């Protein structure tokens, strides 16, 4: 089911782009080229940790959405040595600080396809942005990628638009003492001489910002038959203790959101502390500083993104509350399921704090500077809780499960969500207007001890500690909000 630009590739039935998909995202106007989509990336990377040297080849299968004789790819800080479109010996191209412009063999029409191969190399580094330094980052013993929202071009040439989802094959070769982990399902790990090559495949459509590579001195730990952890051996005991609740989180979220929508579930823990954890497709990364009880809510937040953000994903950045508000509400749902604190209690505490802060934010269109503001996360979660209080537990969770199933691995907008709720039989337009489109903070509906809260209180697992509940109540600062 899709409507508007809520589709897997953002195109219409004839292969052309919808009118509103042909424009650049107003929040990231220098990123992406709306004249085409990339349907598949094949990335072959060789990375030297000691020298921070990346040598790579990227093969892209593209599909035109508008008539054009050239396309622009995003690439930053890495030098291209060769570009070749299938059928040509050599393809004309020019490279600037942010863009690689490739000349097509002729003016190509909407729906036509081409395959191009790009060879490039350099010392990858984060790019500076209004949201801080993002992208490829060196660690003490390795490297990681943290791309949200525009960091992907720091390690591969791409069409960096959130609405352009593609499939990926990623091969990473490193020195043998290091382990490379990438988003996707591990296909093979082979050794040749002093190097090891790992190959991963992402079999579902993924946005560029949700694709990542992690390199470190990792060992592999299994939490259950689905969840694997890559972490330094020195952190083994802390990792087992901190991530012990994850299988129970998975079960709680599957009950509320529907079946886990990704092909894999990998958690990476680095030996370095990180400012924030960050999700990727089927993956999340945490720093060594996130293994304390206070970070349990962050683990729940990143896991929830596999449903909301990584499966059902935004077509444009203005709708980021659909990712972050849902994941924030999942934190409260986890502690409710664990019998620590009801979502209603967490919501009312968050509401009281927001009431004392500036009310200058419209979460359906917060502006680029405020898209990761903690107030957006909390107000988005409160909007969902207000809907739950209005329509009741069973209809509310039916709505969440239906939303996740109808738009699995598709790109959506706030309007898509509102329309879906309406078509599901719920008259919530006034509620959405107040919570999503207006600046003043609305009142929450009357308190209700929900059936789920009562059930959770009677059958609470021992996983979550009181210290975790107290930690979940502390409002993260703007910079510390989990993404």
């Amino acid at each position: 089911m899709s409507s508007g630009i809520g589709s897997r590739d953002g195109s219409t039935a004839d292969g052309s782009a919808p009118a509103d998909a042909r424009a650049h995202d107003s929040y990231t106007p220098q990123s992406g080229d709306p004249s085409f989509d990339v349907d598949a990336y094949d990335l072959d990377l060789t990375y030297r940790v000691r020298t921070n040297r990346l040598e790579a080849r990227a093969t892209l299968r593209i599909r035109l959405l508008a008539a054009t004789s050239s396309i622009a790819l995003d690439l930053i800080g890495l030098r291209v040595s060769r570009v070749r479109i299938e059928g040509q010996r050599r393809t004309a191209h020019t490279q600037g600080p942010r863009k690689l412009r490739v000349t097509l063999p002729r003016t190509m029409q909407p729906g036509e396809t081409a395959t191009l191969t790009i060879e490039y190399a350099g010392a990858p580094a984060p790019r500076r942005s209004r949201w801080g330094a993002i992208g490829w980052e060196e660690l003490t013993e390795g490297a990681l990628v943290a791309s949200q929202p525009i960091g992907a071009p720091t390690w591969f040439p791409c069409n960096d638009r959130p609405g352009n989802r593609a499939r990926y094959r990623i091969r990473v070769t490193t020195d043998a003492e290091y382990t490379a982990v990438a988003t996707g399902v591990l296909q093979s790990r082979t050794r040749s001489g002093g190097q090891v090559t790992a190959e991963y495949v992402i079999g579902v459509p993924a946005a560029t910002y949700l694709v990542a590579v992690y390199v470190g001195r990792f060992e592999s730990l299994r939490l259950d038959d689905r969840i694997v952890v890559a972490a330094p051996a020195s952190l083994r005991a802390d990792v087992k203790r901190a991530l012990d609740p994850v299988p129970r989180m998975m079960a709680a979220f599957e009950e509320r959101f529907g079946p886990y929508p990704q092909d894999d579930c990998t958690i990476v823990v680095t030996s370095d502390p990180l400012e924030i954890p960050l999700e990727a497709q089927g993956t999340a990364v945490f720093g060594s500083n996130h293994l304390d009880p206070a970070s349990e809510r962050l683990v729940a937040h990143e896991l929830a993104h596999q449903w909301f953000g990584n499966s059902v994903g935004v077509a444009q950045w203005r709708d980021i509350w659909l990712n972050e508000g849902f994941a924030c509400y999942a934190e409260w749902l986890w502690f409710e399921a664990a019998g620590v604190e009801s979502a209603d209690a967490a919501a009312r505490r968050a509401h009281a704090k927001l009431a004392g802060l500036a009310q200058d934010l419209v979460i359906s269109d917060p502006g680029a500077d405020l898209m990761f503001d903690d107030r957006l996360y909390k107000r988005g979660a409160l909007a969902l809780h207000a809907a739950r209080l209005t329509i009741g537990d069973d209809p509310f969770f039916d709505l969440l499960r239906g939303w996740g199933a109808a738009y699995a691995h598709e790109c959506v907008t706030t309007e898509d969500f509102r329309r879906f709720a309406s078509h599901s039989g719920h008259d919530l337009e006034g509620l959405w207007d107040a919570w999503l489109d207006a600046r003043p903070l609305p009142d929450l509906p009357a308190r209700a001890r929900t059936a789920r809260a009562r059930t959770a209180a009677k059958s609470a697992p021992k996983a979550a500690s009181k210290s975790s509940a107290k930690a979940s109540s502390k409002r993260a600062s703007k910079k510390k909000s989990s993404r």
Side-chain angles (χ1 to χ4, degrees):
M1 174 180 181
S2 65
S3 57
I5 58 174
S7 64
R8 294 182 189 277
D9 55 25
S11 65
T12 60
D14 66 359
S16 64
D20 50 1
R22 295 189 186 115
H24 287 276
D25 192 308
S26 62
Y27 285 23
T28 55
Q30 294 182 332
S31 295
D33 181 343
S35 71
F36 74 102
D37 269 350
V38 181
D39 289 334
Y41 292 86
D42 192 309
L43 306 178
D44 196 340
L45 316 170
T46 298
Y47 182 62
R48 299 280 187 178
V49 173
R50 293 182 182 86
T51 58
N52 188 40
R53 175 73 178 178
L54 178 66
E55 297 179 354
R57 182 177 66 251
T59 301
L60 285 64
R61 188 172 71 244
I62 68 167
R63 177 170 42 83
L64 276 297
L65 301 177
T68 184
S69 59
S70 67
I71 60 169
L73 292 161
D74 299 286
L75 187 65
I76 295 172
L78 300 167
R79 177 55 55 186
V80 171
S81 57
R82 187 183 184 195
V83 176
R84 187 174 70 85
I85 292 179
E86 187 176 22
Q88 292 186 318
R89 289 186 177 181
R90 183 173 292 275
T91 299
H93 64 278
T94 56
Q95 185 175 9
R98 296 188 182 92
K99 295 285 186 178
L100 171 67
R101 182 160 289 280
V102 178
T103 301
L104 299 177
R106 54 183 171 75
T107 298
M108 297 182 69
Q109 301 301 315
E112 290 194 89
T113 62
T115 299
L116 61 150
T117 300
I118 301 160
E119 296 177 9
Y120 61 102
R127 67 179 298 183
R128 291 189 298 272
S129 77
R130 66 174 76 198
W131 306 283
I134 51 178
W136 188 285
E137 182 177 347
E138 285 187 87
L139 301 175
T140 303
E141 285 283 357
L144 63 76
V145 170
S147 287
Q148 191 180 28
I150 54 170
T154 64
W155 66 286
F156 71 102
C158 58
N159 195 3
D160 199 19
R161 297 184 287 118
N164 180 190
R165 293 188 162 202
R167 287 173 168 80
Y168 292 76
R169 182 178 298 275
I170 306 169
R171 286 175 296 277
V172 189
T173 300
T174 61
D175 292 330
E177 63 264 38
Y178 296 97
T179 298
V181 177
T183 43
V185 178
L186 179 65
Q187 306 296 300
S188 64
R189 199 179 294 277
T190 58
R191 181 165 183 156
S192 177
Q195 294 185 314
V196 173
T197 299
E199 181 174 332
Y200 287 80
V201 169
I202 305 177
V204 297
T208 50
Y209 83 92
L210 291 172
V211 181
V213 169
Y214 314 93
V215 179
R217 297 182 186 271
F218 300 136
E219 67 173 8
S220 181
L221 302 169
R222 280 211 165 268
L223 299 183
D224 63 12
D225 59 351
R226 287 193 294 185
I227 305 166
V228 64
V229 180
S234 60
L235 296 176
R236 186 183 305 154
D238 290 338
V239 165
K240 288 183 175 179
R241 174 190 46 75
L243 299 181
D244 177 71
V246 174
R248 294 187 291 280
M249 286 181 187
M250 179 78 81
F253 289 166
E254 286 192 310
E255 180 186 352
R256 289 154 179 80
F257 307 149
Y260 182 69
Q262 307 299 337
D263 290 336
D264 67 307
C265 184
T266 301
I267 299 173
V268 178
V269 180
T270 66
S271 57
D272 292 46
L274 302 179
E275 183 180 5
I276 58 171
L278 194 66
E279 79 278 5
Q281 198 80 28
T283 314
V285 63
F286 298 87
S288 57
N289 54 316
H290 297 134
L291 300 178
D292 60 329
S295 296
E296 188 173 324
R297 71 173 187 86
L298 302 179
V299 177
H301 185 107
E302 303 307 334
L303 180 61
H305 271 312
Q306 301 308 331
W307 283 265
F308 307 114
N310 301 2
S311 176
V312 182
V314 295
Q316 51 195 10
W317 288 115
R318 63 178 288 172
D319 297 307
I320 190 67
W321 85 272
L322 290 170
N323 294 6
E324 302 303 349
F326 278 65
C328 182
Y329 194 56
E331 300 173 29
W332 304 345
L333 292 178
W334 162 240
F335 288 117
E336 180 173 87
V340 176
E341 179 183 49
S342 71
D344 190 72
R348 293 184 188 280
R349 187 172 55 253
H351 188 278
K353 290 184 178 179
L354 283 185
L357 301 175
Q359 296 180 29
D360 57 354
L361 185 66
V362 173
I363 69 170
S364 62
D365 190 7
D369 287 336
L370 297 179
M371 62 189 277
F372 297 120
D373 192 298
D374 188 63
R375 293 173 299 162
L376 179 141
Y377 292 48
K378 296 299 189 292
R379 182 155 170 168
L382 287 170
L384 294 175
H385 190 64
R388 178 183 176 185
L389 293 175
T390 300
I391 65 177
D393 269 16
D394 289 344
F396 175 75
F397 288 105
D398 284 345
L399 177 66
L400 294 192
R401 287 187 292 267
W403 172 245
Y407 287 97
H409 300 295
E410 296 192 11
C411 296
V412 296
T413 66
T414 297
E415 185 55 37
D416 287 323
F417 179 63
R418 294 178 66 150
R419 187 182 300 114
F420 183 83
S422 177
H423 289 174
S424 299
H426 305 299
D427 183 8
L428 295 171
E429 284 305 298
L431 185 148
W432 301 136
D433 287 344
W435 283 97
L436 305 180
D437 297 335
R439 288 183 172 83
L441 182 68
D443 293 332
L444 277 171
R447 188 185 308 269
R449 190 165 185 234
T450 65
R452 286 185 183 271
R454 291 194 296 270
T455 301
K458 290 179 181 178
S459 57
K462 297 179 180 179
S465 64
K466 289 185 178 179
S467 60
S468 298
K470 291 179 181 178
S472 73
S473 72
K474 296 179 180 178
R475 185 180 62 84
S477 67
K478 177 180 176 181
K479 291 185 178 180
K480 297 295 184 181
S481 292
S482 172
R483 294 184 189 172

